[in-house]
Amino acid sequence: MRKTIFFAAALAFMVSACNQPENTPVKIDDLGQLKVNVRTNVATKALIETTTLENGSELGISVLEAGDADYDGFASYKNVKLTASASGSNQVWTPAFDVLLSTTKGTLYAYYPYSASVTDIEAVPVETGSQTDYMYGTPVPDLYNKNSAADVVLNHALAAVRFNVVKGSFSGAGEVTDIAVNGPAIANAATMSSLTGELADFTGMDTRINPAFSPFVLSAGGEKKDIIIIPTGDEDVMTISMTIDGFEIQAKTPAMDFAEGTITEFNITVNSQAL
């Protein structure tokens, strides 16, 4: 019985190995299966403010060796999809296929959310249209067969603005149907490196970003609305536009630098005379 079990295990490994490109013969005892645990960094902020992601969330990981070369020659170890099951302390992350580590030391990189269309892990497309909270992982170095557990900490790559809108002396019906922002230091598309989190290739600067939301009526108690933005790293004014009772009113902020991984809050009081 023991021989049968051992042979089945060895055969399963051989089949798995044959499915990997550019594979070189290794001893089964020299391999360790990569295991990943994921949490978000509470020191950086955007719209996901929990320490763990939701059930079913997908993450892209890559394992590279020194010099950012393919780990043991496996190009398939780039942009591997991990899927979360459960949530909180019971959450488990399962890869699309086993990532097997040898005696070679490698570094794990990660980004969120996973996209099968990513062809360059150093230029992951990001945009504001979907209001996605893009994140990148702090690199996890020195992974190999005897150290195969990786604790990935995700950092927020973009920024967000939060509006607390309160009714002042405004005398109209006060139905707010649109809130938008734009500014020379804000882009609506860019690329993000999953190795460093660096943003580059900015496009759509000073383009209105106005995500859809359910209209609300101004009240003394206030209403909170969030908008994810892509900061370019420059410092400049931002224009806030609000459509109230079918009319658009605007206000400009002072010159600001919206840093990555931050939420900037604005308290807005709407009066009959001005915003």
Side-chain angles (χ1 to χ4, degrees):
M1 190 64 173
R2 290 181 181 175
K3 290 183 179 179
T4 303
I5 293 173
F6 176 79
F7 176 77
L11 180 61
F13 166 72
M14 289 172 66
V15 172
S16 174
C18 289
N19 288 333
Q20 303 296 341
E22 304 173 15
N23 184 60
T24 54
V26 291
K27 293 181 181 179
I28 192 168
D29 293 339
D30 289 339
L31 295 173
Q33 183 176 330
L34 178 68
K35 295 180 176 135
V36 179
N37 179 50
V38 180
R39 64 183 174 89
T40 61
N41 187 353
V42 295
T44 61
K45 300 289 185 183
L47 297 191
I48 295 176
E49 299 182 79
T50 56
T51 56
T52 59
L53 298 176
E54 294 181 353
N55 178 39
S57 295
E58 295 179 344
L59 192 75
I61 66 164
S62 302
V63 179
L64 305 177
E65 60 181 66
D68 297 334
D70 293 343
Y71 184 85
D72 279 347
F74 289 115
S76 58
Y77 284 3
K78 286 181 181 176
N79 201 32
V80 179
K81 180 173 73 172
L82 267 69
T83 305
S85 58
S87 59
S89 60
N90 296 320
Q91 190 166 77
V92 175
W93 288 84
T94 305
F97 59 86
D98 291 343
V99 175
L100 302 176
L101 303 178
S102 67
T103 54
T104 304
K105 289 192 176 181
T107 299
L108 183 145
Y109 303 95
Y111 74 92
Y112 169 89
Y114 169 80
S115 173
S117 64
V118 169
T119 57
D120 184 353
I121 60 173
E122 295 190 67
V124 178
V126 300
E127 40 72 39
T128 59
S130 64
Q131 288 292 283
T132 298
D133 190 358
Y134 292 95
M135 292 185 278
Y136 66 96
T138 300
V140 183
D142 299 327
L143 294 172
Y144 64 108
N145 60 341
K146 303 302 182 185
N147 180 37
S148 58
D151 290 322
V152 176
V153 178
L154 294 176
N155 309 285
H156 300 277
L158 308 188
V161 289
R162 173 168 293 164
F163 301 114
N164 300 306
V165 186
V166 178
K167 180 179 180 180
S169 63
F170 188 79
S171 57
E175 184 182 30
V176 180
T177 55
D178 187 61
I179 300 177
V181 297
N182 64 281
I186 299 172
N188 68 0
T191 60
M192 174 187 72
S193 170
S194 67
L195 276 60
T196 64
E198 181 180 0
L199 298 174
D201 305 320
F202 301 102
T203 58
M205 277 73 78
D206 211 10
T207 302
R208 285 169 65 100
I209 302 171
N210 56 330
F213 63 87
S214 299
F216 65 92
V217 176
L218 293 172
S219 67
E223 186 85 13
K224 182 180 75 173
K225 294 298 176 184
D226 297 327
I227 300 178
I228 290 178
I229 61 175
I230 300 176
T232 64
D234 295 329
E235 184 175 303
D236 215 315
V237 300
M238 180 179 73
T239 301
I240 305 168
S241 305
M242 294 180 59
T243 302
I244 305 175
D245 295 343
F247 295 93
E248 183 175 272
I249 56 178
Q250 293 185 338
K252 289 187 181 292
T253 70
M256 304 182 70
D257 175 6
F258 298 96
E260 296 177 26
T262 62
I263 298 176
T264 303
E265 295 195 23
F266 296 88
N267 295 315
I268 297 177
T269 301
V270 183
N271 296 315
S272 292
Q273 294 77 25
L275 181 63

